[in-house]
């Protein structure tokens, strides 16, 4: 919110309060002022009169000017093409400090052999932004439009002696979009009275226009008619005020409307009455127009969800956003119709976001405007242009009914922790335009119409302490009971997992919890996503129900910046239909290890990701035998059909991992990529997670190799698990070192070779014991899995 210090000073006395003191005052009251800066800047600027001007003898680009600045006559070399004799100009005398000029301190210099004592200034060199100026002003010096006192201080004489305050508004304080509402706030902080200004359009007869409201998104609509207006350029005072408020001056009708909007907080829109086709305005939705020409000379597409203002069957405005070119006012306008309205802020915000048209008006309509002051900006319009309203049509405008809020003195003391006299509380609230009724130790408070954020008694208490001053609260340490907090199993697992995975060489990422439907659909068949009510964009509209879409976006982003080798993980919440869970996602692509000097190069593949996952699980306390893998089914079409697997525990799937399907990888322009997704919430709920330390055996171990013929429907995990169960407690480890498909193997079978590590922690093994263990394992294989020893 941009605020002009001089404009604010029209409604509250700031003569003893500097702009910087005002900024501190507002910030301490909860309205953070991010920046205070002069509207224009220069330490020794005066009005000068060009007595004579002639071409520089040694330069075609310079003009030698003889400038009268009252107490002396200065010879100044000027490079502007528009400088000439008999002009009133802005002069920076030698010693003048100018932050926005090419030379920060103006000095006496010699230019191409001719002495120059100062500088004739443009508005850009004073710090006035280019967007407020004409092309002629941008290209040259500022030529003043009339005679000014020669030698007078330039900034104050021209009305540039203003300061701009940039206030960062919180969402609940949309009332501060009205400078008059801010003036009430400042007056309360300074213990002053705000200057009252007329709010109503009085003595206006019924107008000639009819109004029909056909949508609930318009609660009130007002039209005011003015005839025989002299459309012309605004005065310098109005121009300067507009620029300080962030607007580019146009001509008086538009300029006064903008000032009225900023002062009141209620946007106004003006129609050229002579360009309207009908005496009836209809406010409605439901039209679809592909080529609406707006007053900014751009064409927009109107949808059936947009609220529209129509006249004579023609759309004359997209409500609250922008008007039509066909009915806009211009320098030839004589008769105008001024509109004020109360539109649904949700409807206006959706349209403005879709069209990317967040103007000063649509920004205010997108907040909650005050529907009870719709005549306020029109009255300002009348006063500034000295006009009489020829007719008014008002539909839906209601009288404000304030909500009563009961508050006790004891509640104020309890919440604030300090004692503030009840009389002082009443005085503070009344200074903020709250109506207060006292009844012994209780007060009834009625907030003003523009304070929609005040609904509860604690809201009223906040208003009291803001004005009373947070600095007046004595600092004390609250009494707090020391409570022992224990981490939940899930919290412990999350912390341990991060340490383990970073130790394994992966990098943690943190991504947005919101994503687009298009990205979520890539990794989910369920399109019933939780939707954000007020998204900042379509790409951040839905809560994710898995982490893989964010993981793939991160990989794409890094690949686009020439980072092909990635080993990533993310642990975060996902949002399902009936609950929130914590998931872990993996993402591998490119080279996992690239040490050319030691000739150690490891490429990301299915088995690397499997090894990382099982290493992580084992260090969490889930043994290899408890966690099994099985092939994926058709419900994970984003994964390669033969290079992907489920992770199961107690016959329940808790995760999936594998290679991204080649078709999807080609669609997303990815190289070979591997992903994994694990439900940590489900995993943490499984009991039996044990980290058990086993000492090194004092007795030697022996190895035995077995080559087996295995049916195709038996997987490796069944073999390794069965080898270590039953009576085979002496088997400490089982490793697979060869798999063979081909000749000399019976149909629907394959060959696998395993190595058994056998050890007894209590004694040295003899051959009979070792042979017995091996025989038992072979018998168990044959009995339970129909696995035979290869001959």
């Amino acid at each position: 919110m941009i605020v002009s210090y001089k404009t604010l000073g029209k409604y509250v006395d700031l003569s003893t309060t500097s702009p910087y003191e005002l900024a501190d005052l507002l910030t301490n009251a909860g309205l953070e002022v991010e920046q205070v800066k002069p509207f224009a800047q220069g330490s020794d600027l005066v009005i000068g009169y060009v007595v004579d001007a002639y071409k520089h003898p040694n330069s075609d680009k310079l003009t030698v000017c003889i400038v009268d600045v009252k107490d002396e006559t200065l010879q100044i070399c000027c490079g502007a093409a528009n400088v000439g004799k008999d002009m009133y100009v802005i002069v920076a005398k030698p010693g003048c400090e100018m932050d926005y000029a090419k030379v920060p301190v103006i000095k006496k210099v010699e230019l191409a052999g001719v002495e120059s004592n100062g500088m004739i200034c443009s508005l850009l060199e004073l710090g006035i932004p280019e967007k407020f100026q004409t092309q002629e002003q941008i290209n040259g010096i500022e030529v003043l439009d009339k005679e000014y006192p020669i030698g007078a201080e330039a900034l104050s004489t021209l009305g540039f002696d203003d300061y701009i305050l940039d206030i960062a508004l919180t969402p609940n304080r949309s009332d501060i979009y009205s400078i008059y509402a801010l003036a009430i706030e400042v007056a309360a902080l300074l213990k002053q009275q705000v200057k009252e200004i007329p709010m109503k359009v009085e003595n206006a007869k019924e107008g000639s226009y009819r109004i029909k409201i056909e949508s609930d998104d318009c609660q009130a609509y007002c039209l005011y008619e003015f005839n025989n207006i002299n459309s012309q350029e605004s005065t310098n005072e109005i121009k300067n005020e507009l620029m300080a408020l962030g607007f580019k001056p146009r001509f008086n009708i538009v300029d006064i409307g903008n000032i009225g909007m900023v002062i009141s907080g209620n946007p106004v829109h003006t129609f050229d009455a002579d360009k309207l086709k009908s005496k009836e305005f209809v406010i409605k939705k439901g039209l679809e127009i592909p080529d609406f020409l707006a007053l900014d000379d751009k064409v927009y597409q109107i949808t059936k969800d947009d609220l529209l203002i129509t006249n004579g069957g023609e759309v004359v405005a997209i409500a609250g956003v922008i008007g039509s070119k066909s009915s806009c006012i211009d320098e030839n306008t004589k008769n105008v119709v001024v509109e004020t309205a109360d539109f649904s802020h949700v409807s206006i915000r959706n349209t403005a976001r879709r069209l990317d048209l967040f103007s000063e008006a649509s920004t205010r309509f997108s907040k909650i405007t005050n529907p009870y002051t719709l005549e306020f900006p029109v009255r300002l319009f009348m006063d500034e242009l000295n006009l009489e309203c020829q007719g008014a049509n008002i539909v839906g405008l209601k009288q404000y009914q304030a909500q009563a809020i009961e508050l006790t003195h004891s509640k104020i003391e309890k919440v604030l922790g300090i004692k503030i006299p009840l009389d002082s509380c009443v005085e503070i609230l009344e200074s903020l335009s709250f109506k207060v009724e006292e009844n012994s130790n209780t007060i009834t408070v009625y907030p003003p119409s523009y304070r929609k954020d005040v609904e509860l008694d604690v809201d009223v208490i906040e208003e009291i302490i803001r004005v009373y001053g947070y600095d007046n609260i004595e600092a004390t340490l609250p009494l707090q009971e020391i409570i022992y907090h224990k981490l939940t199993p899930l919290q412990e697992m999350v912390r341990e997992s991060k340490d383990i995975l970073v130790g394994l060489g992966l990098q943690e990422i943190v991504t947005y919890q919101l994503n687009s439907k298009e990205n979520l659909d890539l990794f989910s068949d369920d399109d019933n996503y939780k939707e954000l009510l007020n998204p900042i964009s379509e790409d951040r509209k839905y809560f994710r129900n898995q982490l893989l879409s964010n993981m793939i976006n991160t990989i794409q982003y890094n690949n686009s910046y020439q980072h092909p080798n990635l080993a990533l993980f993310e642990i975060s919440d996902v949002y399902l239909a009936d609950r929130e869970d914590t998931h872990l996602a993996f993402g591998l692509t490119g080279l996992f290890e690239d040490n050319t000097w030691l000739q150690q190069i490891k490429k990301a593949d299915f088995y690397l990701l499997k090894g990382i996952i099982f290493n992580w699980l084992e260090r969490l306390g889930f043994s290899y035998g408890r966690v099994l893998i099985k092939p994926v089914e058709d419900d994970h079409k984003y994964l390669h059909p033969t290079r992907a697997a489920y992770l199961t525990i107690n016959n329940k799937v808790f995760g999936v991992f594998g290679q991204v399907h080649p078709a999807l990888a080609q669609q997303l322009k990815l190289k070979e990529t591997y992903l994994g997704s694990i439900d940590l919430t489900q995993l943490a709920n499984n009991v039996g997670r044990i980290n058990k330390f086993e000492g090194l055996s004092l007795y030697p171990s022996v190895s035995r190799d077995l080559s087996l013929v295995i049916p195709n429907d038996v997987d490796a995990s069944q073999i390794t698990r069965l080898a270590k169960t039953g009576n085979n407690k002496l088997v400490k480890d089982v490793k697979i070192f060869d798999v063979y498909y081909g000749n000399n193997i019976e149909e629907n079978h394959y060959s696998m070779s395993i190595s058994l590590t056998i050890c007894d922690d209590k004694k040295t093994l003899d051959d009979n014991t070792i042979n017995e263990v091996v025989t038992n394992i072979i018998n168990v294989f044959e009995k339970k899995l129909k696995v035979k020893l290869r001959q």
Side-chain angles (χ1 to χ4, degrees):
M1 171 67 179
I2 300 299
V3 175
S4 160
Y5 176 76
K6 287 181 70 173
T7 300
L8 185 63
K10 290 181 179 181
Y11 306 103
V12 60
D13 184 8
L14 298 177
S15 59
T16 59
T17 307
S18 73
Y20 300 97
E21 291 171 338
L22 176 62
D24 290 340
L25 193 71
L26 290 172
T27 300
N28 291 333
L31 298 174
E32 182 183 357
V33 179
E34 294 186 324
Q35 185 182 33
V36 180
K37 65 177 183 180
F39 173 59
Q41 187 271 339
S43 61
D44 193 5
L45 297 170
V46 297
I47 302 294
Y49 175 70
V50 182
V51 178
D52 194 11
Y54 55 89
K55 285 293 182 181
H56 192 290
N58 303 320
S59 174
D60 293 336
K61 295 182 179 181
L62 294 177
T63 301
V64 180
C65 302
I66 308 301
V67 185
D68 181 8
V69 293
K70 189 178 180 179
D71 54 349
E72 59 181 324
T73 300
L74 301 175
Q75 177 176 282
I76 300 174
C77 295
C78 180
N82 65 330
V83 70
K85 184 180 178 182
D86 297 328
M87 289 182 175
Y88 286 85
V89 294
I90 304 170
V91 178
K93 299 171 69 174
C96 176
E97 297 179 359
M98 303 184 70
D99 292 343
Y100 297 95
K102 294 181 180 179
V103 180
V105 179
I106 306 303
K107 301 178 180 178
K108 293 182 179 181
V109 295
E110 188 175 288
L111 297 177
V114 176
E115 184 178 278
S116 181
N117 301 291
M119 182 174 72
I120 301 176
C121 303
S122 68
L123 293 186
L124 287 176
E125 288 160 337
L126 303 184
I128 297 177
E130 184 176 308
K131 64 180 180 179
F132 298 140
Q133 302 177 44
T134 65
Q135 195 60 46
E136 183 180 358
Q137 289 175 307
I138 295 170
N139 294 336
I141 61 164
E142 180 66 8
V143 180
L144 303 182
D145 59 348
K146 62 180 181 180
E147 296 182 6
Y148 287 93
I150 297 174
E153 199 280 324
L155 296 184
S156 58
T157 302
L158 299 175
F160 294 158
D161 55 336
D162 197 358
Y163 285 83
I164 297 171
L165 286 73
D166 189 355
I167 303 177
L169 297 184
T170 52
N172 64 311
R173 292 306 303 273
S174 60
D175 58 291
I176 301 301
Y177 277 102
S178 161
I179 285 186
Y180 190 71
L182 179 62
I184 295 174
E185 184 96 2
V186 173
L189 296 172
L190 294 175
K191 295 182 171 55
Q192 295 181 10
Q193 291 293 322
V194 70
K195 177 184 176 183
E196 293 189 7
I197 56 178
M199 297 281 187
K200 297 287 185 180
V201 176
E202 299 173 347
N203 302 322
K205 64 181 180 180
E206 184 176 353
S208 60
Y209 289 89
R210 299 181 304 278
I211 299 171
K212 289 178 62 178
I213 299 177
E214 298 181 355
S215 172
D216 293 337
D217 286 335
C218 178
Q219 288 81 40
Y221 195 78
C222 309
L223 293 175
Y224 304 89
E225 301 170 40
F226 299 94
N227 298 331
N228 299 318
I229 297 177
N230 184 17
S231 179
Q232 59 186 9
E233 188 176 348
S234 296
T235 63
N236 287 334
E237 290 77 11
I238 292 177
K239 288 181 181 179
N240 294 339
E241 183 173 7
L242 273 173
M243 290 190 292
L245 292 170
F247 293 83
K248 181 176 182 177
R250 295 172 63 84
F251 48 92
N252 57 350
I253 300 175
V254 176
D255 295 346
I256 297 301
N258 284 333
I259 289 179
M261 173 183 66
V262 175
I263 302 302
S264 68
N266 292 100
V268 299
H269 184 70
T270 49
F271 301 100
D272 189 323
D274 297 324
K275 295 179 181 179
L276 297 173
K277 295 182 178 180
S278 168
K279 287 292 184 179
E280 182 177 64
F281 279 80
V282 181
I283 300 92
K284 62 182 179 180
K285 284 187 169 184
L287 298 180
E288 293 188 357
I289 301 174
D291 53 355
F292 174 75
L293 180 60
L295 55 82
D296 62 356
D297 293 319
K298 295 181 180 179
V299 175
Y300 297 96
Q301 181 177 3
I302 293 175
T303 69
K304 61 183 180 180
D305 294 326
D306 297 328
L307 185 64
L308 306 174
I309 312 298
T310 66
N311 178 274
E314 177 182 313
V315 177
V316 293
I318 302 176
V321 179
I322 195 167
S324 167
K325 184 72 173 179
S326 65
S327 61
C328 71
I329 61 172
D330 53 40
E331 62 275 6
N332 299 316
T333 297
K334 294 295 182 183
N335 305 309
V336 301
V337 178
V338 179
E339 165 205 280
T340 61
D342 180 24
F343 298 127
S344 164
H345 64 282
V346 176
S347 175
I348 304 305
R349 181 168 59 240
N350 289 339
T351 298
R353 180 182 292 114
R354 183 180 64 81
L355 298 177
D356 193 22
L357 273 174
F358 279 101
S359 62
E360 292 289 338
S362 63
T363 297
R364 284 168 171 80
F365 273 125
S366 297
K367 310 295 181 181
I368 300 178
T369 56
N370 185 1
Y372 306 102
T373 58
L374 294 184
E375 295 182 273
F376 184 10
V378 183
R379 185 55 191 265
L380 287 174
F381 186 89
M382 294 167 59
D383 291 345
E384 291 289 348
L385 292 178
N386 193 24
L387 297 173
E388 289 188 8
C389 185
Q390 303 299 316
N393 294 84
I394 300 173
V395 176
L397 188 60
K398 300 176 182 178
Q399 293 295 321
Y400 175 59
Q401 297 293 330
Q403 175 190 356
I405 302 174
E406 299 287 340
L407 186 62
T408 63
H409 194 205
S410 59
K411 178 67 177 288
I412 298 174
E413 292 184 2
K414 180 180 179 181
V415 172
L416 298 180
I418 59 174
K419 292 183 178 181
I420 302 177
L422 189 59
D423 291 343
S424 298
C425 296
V426 172
E427 182 182 348
I428 289 171
L429 292 172
E430 289 179 339
S431 70
L432 291 171
S433 296
F434 288 72
K435 181 182 177 182
V436 183
E437 295 177 356
E438 297 184 63
N439 184 14
S440 64
N441 199 37
T442 304
I443 58 175
T444 303
V445 180
Y446 300 89
S449 62
Y450 59 87
R451 291 304 304 273
K452 299 293 181 59
D453 58 305
V454 180
E455 299 177 336
L456 306 173
D457 54 1
V458 289
D459 296 330
V460 178
I461 295 172
E462 181 183 1
E463 296 302 303
I464 293 171
I465 193 58
R466 283 195 315 107
V467 178
Y468 183 76
Y470 292 107
D471 292 341
N472 292 322
I473 300 178
E474 184 179 351
T476 58
L477 289 175
L479 294 175
Q480 290 185 333
E481 182 181 357
I482 298 177
I483 302 174
Y484 174 71
H485 294 280
K486 183 179 179 181
L487 295 177
T488 66
L490 177 60
Q491 290 171 329
E492 288 182 347
M493 181 175 288
V494 168
R495 292 193 180 188
E496 289 180 53
S497 297
K498 290 182 179 182
D499 290 340
I500 293 170
L501 294 173
V502 170
L504 290 174
L506 280 73
Q507 289 182 303
E508 183 182 8
I509 63 172
V510 179
T511 62
Y512 287 111
Q513 295 185 337
L514 300 168
N515 211 318
S516 67
K517 186 176 186 301
E518 180 184 4
N519 285 338
L520 293 174
D521 285 344
L522 293 175
F523 299 94
S524 176
D525 293 329
D526 179 15
D527 60 355
N528 187 25
Y529 310 121
K530 290 185 178 180
E531 183 177 349
L532 197 64
L533 292 178
N534 184 24
I536 57 175
S537 70
E538 289 296 319
D539 291 338
R540 297 282 181 263
K541 189 174 183 179
Y542 298 95
F543 288 93
R544 61 189 178 188
N545 61 351
Q546 35 72 26
L547 301 181
L548 296 182
S549 55
N550 294 65
M551 178 62 71
I552 211 75
N553 291 155
T554 303
I555 292 174
Q556 284 180 301
Y557 179 83
N558 280 273
N559 285 348
S560 68
Y561 281 88
Q562 306 302 315
H563 297 293
N565 305 322
L566 302 169
L568 310 173
F569 77 92
E570 179 178 13
I571 299 177
S572 188
D573 293 336
V574 298
Y575 301 87
L576 307 176
D578 56 347
R579 67 186 188 278
E580 295 179 16
D581 286 345
T582 301
H583 281 198
L584 163 63
F586 294 94
L588 274 66
T589 186
L591 298 179
F592 182 73
E593 186 175 357
D594 184 11
N595 193 327
T596 307
W597 178 256
L598 297 177
Q599 296 183 346
Q600 294 177 346
I601 297 176
K602 185 183 291 295
K603 185 176 179 293
D605 59 19
F606 175 84
Y607 296 103
L608 173 63
L609 181 55
K610 175 177 175 285
I612 290 173
I613 291 173
F614 276 91
N615 192 317
W616 162 70
L617 285 168
E618 188 171 0
R619 291 171 67 175
L620 283 179
F622 294 95
S623 63
Y624 186 85
R626 285 193 65 202
V627 179
L628 303 178
I629 64 173
K630 67 177 185 177
V632 297
E633 299 173 0
D634 292 340
D635 56 345
H636 289 79
K637 295 180 180 179
Y638 58 87
L639 292 178
H640 194 292
T642 61
R643 297 180 188 173
Y646 287 127
L647 292 163
T648 66
I649 189 168
N650 298 332
N651 294 322
K652 293 183 179 179
V653 176
F654 70 90
V656 64
F657 68 97
Q659 181 183 344
V660 175
H661 197 288
L664 179 59
Q666 183 178 10
Q667 175 187 337
L668 300 178
K669 298 180 180 180
L670 292 173
K671 296 182 179 179
E672 191 173 306
T673 302
Y674 295 85
L675 298 176
S677 177
I678 294 174
D679 187 343
L680 291 184
T681 301
Q682 181 182 345
L683 188 62
N685 291 334
N686 283 277
V687 296
R689 180 175 162 229
I690 301 172
N691 285 317
K692 184 178 178 181
F693 173 76
E694 294 182 359
L696 297 175
S697 176
L698 299 176
Y699 301 95
S701 63
V702 296
S703 296
R704 290 291 185 270
D705 295 342
L706 300 177
S707 290
L708 307 171
V709 178
I710 304 172
N712 285 343
D713 60 352
V714 176
D715 59 44
S717 63
Q718 293 174 276
I719 297 294
T720 56
R721 182 161 48 92
L722 198 59
K724 298 174 68 174
T725 58
N727 296 324
N728 305 322
K729 295 183 178 180
L730 299 181
V731 178
K732 302 301 181 182
D733 193 16
V734 181
K735 292 184 179 180
I736 301 169
F737 64 88
D738 184 55
V739 176
Y740 171 72
Y741 293 87
N743 297 331
N744 301 322
I745 303 296
E746 61 182 283
E747 188 178 358
N748 296 324
H749 286 68
Y750 67 97
S751 173
M752 182 171 66
S753 299
I754 63 175
S755 177
L756 303 175
T757 300
I758 305 171
C759 181
D760 191 334
D761 296 332
K762 298 179 180 179
K763 62 182 179 180
T764 301
L765 292 169
D766 55 41
D767 287 341
N768 291 333
T769 303
I770 295 170
N771 292 335
E772 183 180 351
V773 169
V774 173
T775 301
N776 286 339
I777 290 174
I778 295 172
N779 291 336
V780 170
F781 283 165
E782 185 171 1
K783 181 179 180 181
K784 292 190 175 183
L785 302 177
K786 297 182 180 180
V787 173
K788 301 178 182 179
L789 196 66
R790 183 177 176 183
Q791 301 300 323

